[in-house]
Amino acid sequence: MKVDYSKILKELADIIKNRGRTEAFVESFNLVMKILGNSDPYKYIKEKYNKVAQSITESIDFTKFSCKELLAIMASSNNVDIEMPGYTPSIEKFIEAINIKETVFKTPSNKICSLIKNAHTIALVLDNAGEAIIDIKAASTLSRNKELIIIAKERPYEIDVTTEDVYKFIPKNLKLTIVSTRHNYPAFHPSSYHALNVLLNSDVILVKGIGNLEAFLENPVMQIAHKTIFLLRAKCNPIADILSTDVGSSIVICGDTLLRIIRRTLKYPSVT
């Protein structure tokens, strides 16, 4: 197959100029898949992380952890990703990170746990393979006697988990609803209108990873900012600088707190 790289670069330049960061990343990945003739180039890596996570979680009783500890585990497990400047993932780092509870709460944990306690419906927006297994088990513990909705991409994007993956590894005794973004864009992207509608109608939204956070910042849904809880590791300098933390730190922060920080540092839209 002959590839017209000049045409590809022009397409990407147009996306970056006119359509934003999220679309540039997703569409560049889609172009790579098309060139390779491979719809899921990271499939083997995802399966490896899922296998490790399943093995680890089999020996963990999540009911023994407090709300704050469960949130910390979810944030610290966001240690899986593709390689990026200043960050190199590995199975070893993933295993080590799961037991780390030195998480920074940029929004007070008692406020977040009160939101969760009083919620009837909790939505969980997944990120990477491997950690998604931990996230679902932690979130199912947090949502006991509540409705739990899992949101994931329908089609592969890097090592993000898909709805097909979720159906393969969720325990059969877990009662939850699985919702697809219907493509490989994040749930906060305007084209993910079905997922966005679910988020609007949820009482609490737990969101994993930098990609979902960045998509939210590109398209901030102000009416859900106060009930959206981001759980992630600051894997790059820009995010670490904005959140005033070290690269690699695990963070828990509500959307309204995040937007106030952004507004102060980057003159972002105000939160009402």
Side-chain angles (χ1 to χ4, degrees):
M1 175 184 175
K2 187 176 180 180
V3 180
D4 188 345
Y5 291 104
S6 62
K7 181 181 178 182
I8 290 172
L9 289 173
K10 286 178 183 177
E11 288 178 7
L12 286 176
D14 177 68
I15 292 169
I16 293 169
K17 181 180 179 181
N18 301 307
R19 294 162 62 185
R21 175 243 176 240
T22 296
E23 295 193 25
F25 274 64
V26 174
E27 292 306 323
S28 62
F29 180 78
N30 290 341
L31 281 169
V32 169
M33 287 195 296
K34 185 177 180 181
I35 292 168
L36 294 174
N38 186 340
S39 63
D40 196 0
Y42 291 99
K43 183 178 180 180
Y44 170 72
I45 296 174
K46 291 194 296 181
E47 289 175 345
K48 185 166 63 172
Y49 275 116
N50 284 337
K51 185 176 180 180
V52 171
Q54 284 179 316
S55 175
I56 291 170
T57 55
E58 283 175 2
S59 62
I60 298 176
D61 181 2
F62 284 86
T63 63
K64 291 184 178 180
F65 294 105
S66 67
C67 170
K68 182 178 180 179
E69 289 172 328
L70 288 167
L71 294 170
I73 289 172
M74 292 174 73
S76 64
S77 71
N78 182 229
N79 213 34
V80 180
D81 219 318
I82 59 169
E83 189 166 346
M84 62 184 74
Y87 177 79
T88 303
S90 69
I91 288 288
E92 291 74 20
K93 285 183 180 179
F94 177 48
I95 295 170
E96 178 186 351
I98 293 169
N99 294 316
I100 295 175
K101 301 191 184 71
E102 295 178 358
T103 296
V104 179
F105 282 78
K106 291 292 182 177
T107 304
S109 61
N110 59 341
K111 175 185 175 181
I112 295 173
C113 288
S114 177
L115 281 173
I116 293 171
K117 180 181 178 181
N118 294 319
H120 296 289
T121 303
I122 295 177
L124 169 62
V125 182
L126 296 175
D127 189 27
N128 299 308
E131 67 181 90
I133 292 173
I134 297 165
D135 297 331
I136 289 173
K137 291 198 174 183
S140 65
T141 304
L142 286 169
S143 62
R144 278 177 295 185
N145 303 316
K146 307 176 190 296
E147 181 183 6
L148 177 61
I149 303 171
I150 304 296
I151 299 176
K153 296 179 176 70
E154 182 169 300
R155 300 203 306 270
Y157 173 72
E158 296 182 351
I159 63 167
D160 288 6
V161 72
T162 64
T163 48
E164 182 181 354
D165 298 327
V166 175
Y167 279 113
K168 287 179 181 177
F169 63 63
I170 56 168
K172 293 181 179 179
N173 62 334
L174 277 186
K175 293 183 179 180
L176 48 79
T177 302
I178 300 173
V179 173
S180 160
T181 63
R182 301 186 178 181
H183 43 42
N184 60 354
Y185 274 84
F188 289 108
H189 189 267
S191 64
S192 303
Y193 53 87
H194 178 64
L196 280 169
N197 188 56
V198 172
L199 298 181
L200 285 166
N201 289 287
S202 299
D203 297 318
V204 169
I205 307 162
L206 303 174
V207 184
K208 287 298 299 282
I210 290 177
N212 285 318
L213 181 146
E214 290 176 337
F216 173 80
L217 290 179
E218 281 190 321
N219 304 283
V221 186
M222 298 303 185
Q223 61 265 48
I224 65 172
H226 70 286
K227 62 179 182 179
T228 302
I229 303 159
F230 293 96
L231 308 111
L232 69 148
R233 279 189 178 270
K235 298 172 187 170
C236 61
N237 284 312
I239 295 295
D241 290 344
I242 288 171
L243 297 177
S244 301
T245 191
D246 297 326
V247 173
S249 296
S250 52
I251 305 291
V252 179
I253 184 169
C254 277
D256 52 357
T257 307
L258 174 66
L259 290 175
R260 280 195 290 271
I261 292 172
I262 295 291
R263 190 173 77 248
R264 284 199 304 267
T265 56
L266 302 178
K267 297 181 180 180
Y268 212 70
S270 62
V271 180
T272 56

